[in-house]
Amino acid sequence: MTLTHRMLGRGKRTFAVAGLGVAALALAACGAGSDPLAEPSTETGGSGGTAGAIIVGSADFTESQILGELYAQAIKAKGGDASTKPGIGSREVYIKALQDNSVSVVPEYTGNLLLHFDPAATATTEAEIASALPSAVGSDLTVLEPSRAQDQDVYVVTKQTSQEKGITSLDDLKKISATSILGGPAELQDRAYGPPGLEKIYGAKFQQFKPYASPAVKVKDLNGNKIQVASFFTTEAAIPDNGYVKLDDPQSMILPQNVVPLVRADVASDTTAVEAINAVQKALTTEELTALNTSVDADNSDPDQVAAEWLKAKGLA
């Protein structure tokens, strides 16, 4: 996510195939050849775990990096000491970084975060999930205020597949799954809302799961029918740009995904950091997040640049 839906994409931000290639290269360049846990990427801030120094980590997709920049820059605007470590990796990697004090804060998503810590969780609504999260994350971590901004996981098919096969819902996937390939990020393969959930809840067992590191390649393969179904984020520009059909989820397999900061417990006592981050959370909307994503993925702006412009426009910097 020009500031105008990503601002919603969990680099999560895919767009038309031509533009996607450029974005993928740009994102790869950001993290290539370096250890994302080695040193803070911005010029201010100290080493991980030092008192007063807030290091904001992020996952390896555009939206997370934008959110990380928003948090860090908002803290610095309030006089705090903050830096960023972008592109750390998947949830399993950056939560470990939180727990070993390599980073202080990471942007997260409520429903998936709850399932990570409590796979047997029964919460389904935004309110239920928000209520269950604090105890689920344990005593060494805590969550700050969820935002109204959301970024849902979603499964899509091309318009041609939808029309020819009658696929409009996850419940329809069992009609084609045995002879179809599902594409998504590598970690999706073991997620509760990934192939295991599709098979258990919807009876859709795919012939193959194909992992993708590049959103651009995934879009190309979906358009070329090399894969028949793919997972995206609702804030990714690739969906409207390519006319994909988002599949309904009548059994609510995919939980609500409000943006929420996950922080080390000691960070919760840093009033400057907490107030700055919560101000971002309060001001952020799904539409703005989508536009921010588009600015990075489609317009080739830098995450720190679009974050700075948004914060200034909101009076937070």
Side-chain angles (χ1 to χ4, degrees):
M1 340 172 248
T2 4
L3 288 185
T4 50
H5 154 53
R6 268 151 151 111
M7 239 216 112
L8 249 162
R10 242 126 272 169
K12 274 180 174 179
R13 174 88 345 231
T14 46
F15 38 87
V17 174
L20 278 174
V22 175
L25 289 173
L27 286 175
C30 289
S34 63
D35 178 0
L37 295 180
E39 291 294 338
S41 68
T42 56
E43 66 280 3
T44 62
S47 60
T50 59
I54 302 297
I55 299 179
V56 184
S58 59
D60 51 0
F61 57 86
T62 297
E63 182 173 293
S64 185
Q65 294 175 24
I66 292 171
L67 288 167
E69 286 291 342
L70 289 173
Y71 296 163
Q73 291 184 36
I75 293 169
K76 288 189 283 186
K78 291 292 186 180
D81 182 0
S83 60
T84 60
K85 283 186 176 178
I88 293 174
S90 67
R91 178 170 291 111
E92 291 78 4
V93 177
Y94 61 71
I95 287 181
K96 183 177 184 296
L98 275 172
Q99 293 169 331
D100 68 16
N101 291 347
S102 297
V103 298
S104 315
V105 183
V106 291
E108 255 292 358
Y109 302 88
T110 53
N112 288 347
L113 181 61
L114 177 61
L115 289 178
H116 173 82
F117 284 102
D118 183 7
T122 58
T124 57
T125 68
E126 288 184 36
E128 290 172 344
I129 292 168
S131 178
L133 265 176
S135 59
V137 300
S139 59
D140 57 335
L141 301 176
T142 190
V143 289
L144 302 185
E145 296 180 7
S147 173
R148 56 184 164 165
Q150 288 190 333
D151 185 4
Q152 297 285 129
D153 292 272
V154 65
Y155 289 94
V156 308
V157 296
T158 63
K159 187 175 295 184
Q160 180 179 359
T161 295
S162 177
Q163 293 174 344
E164 292 182 355
K165 306 294 185 179
I167 309 297
T168 60
S169 151
L170 296 182
D171 197 42
D172 297 323
L173 289 178
K174 58 180 174 287
K175 297 189 293 187
I176 65 169
S177 59
T179 57
S180 297
I181 299 174
L182 169 66
E187 60 269 21
L188 180 70
Q189 187 165 13
D190 298 318
R191 297 284 196 244
Y193 53 89
L198 290 173
E199 181 177 357
K200 179 179 179 180
I201 297 173
Y202 289 105
K205 183 175 183 179
F206 281 83
Q207 178 185 50
Q208 179 185 343
F209 172 78
K210 186 172 183 179
Y212 285 89
S214 167
V217 176
K218 181 174 64 176
V219 167
K220 182 179 180 181
D221 283 359
L222 183 60
N223 290 343
N225 201 37
K226 291 184 178 180
I227 59 175
Q228 289 69 49
V229 183
S231 70
F232 283 90
F233 302 107
T234 51
T235 55
E236 292 191 76
I239 297 174
D241 287 351
N242 292 276
Y244 295 148
V245 176
K246 294 187 288 186
L247 303 183
D248 294 334
D249 180 15
Q251 299 299 320
S252 299
M253 178 183 72
I254 300 171
L255 297 180
Q257 306 296 338
N258 296 78
V259 174
V260 66
L262 180 65
V263 306
R264 293 202 321 262
D266 61 291
V267 175
S269 62
D270 186 326
T271 304
T272 298
V274 170
E275 290 183 351
I277 293 172
N278 282 342
V280 171
Q281 291 291 102
K282 184 176 180 179
L284 194 61
T285 67
T286 297
E287 292 73 23
E288 290 174 318
L289 187 55
T290 300
L292 290 175
N293 288 332
T294 300
S295 294
V296 173
D297 288 336
D299 302 332
N300 299 318
S301 298
D302 293 327
D304 60 343
Q305 175 188 342
V306 299
E309 292 173 355
W310 185 87
L311 289 167
K312 183 176 182 181
K314 294 296 181 179
L316 299 177

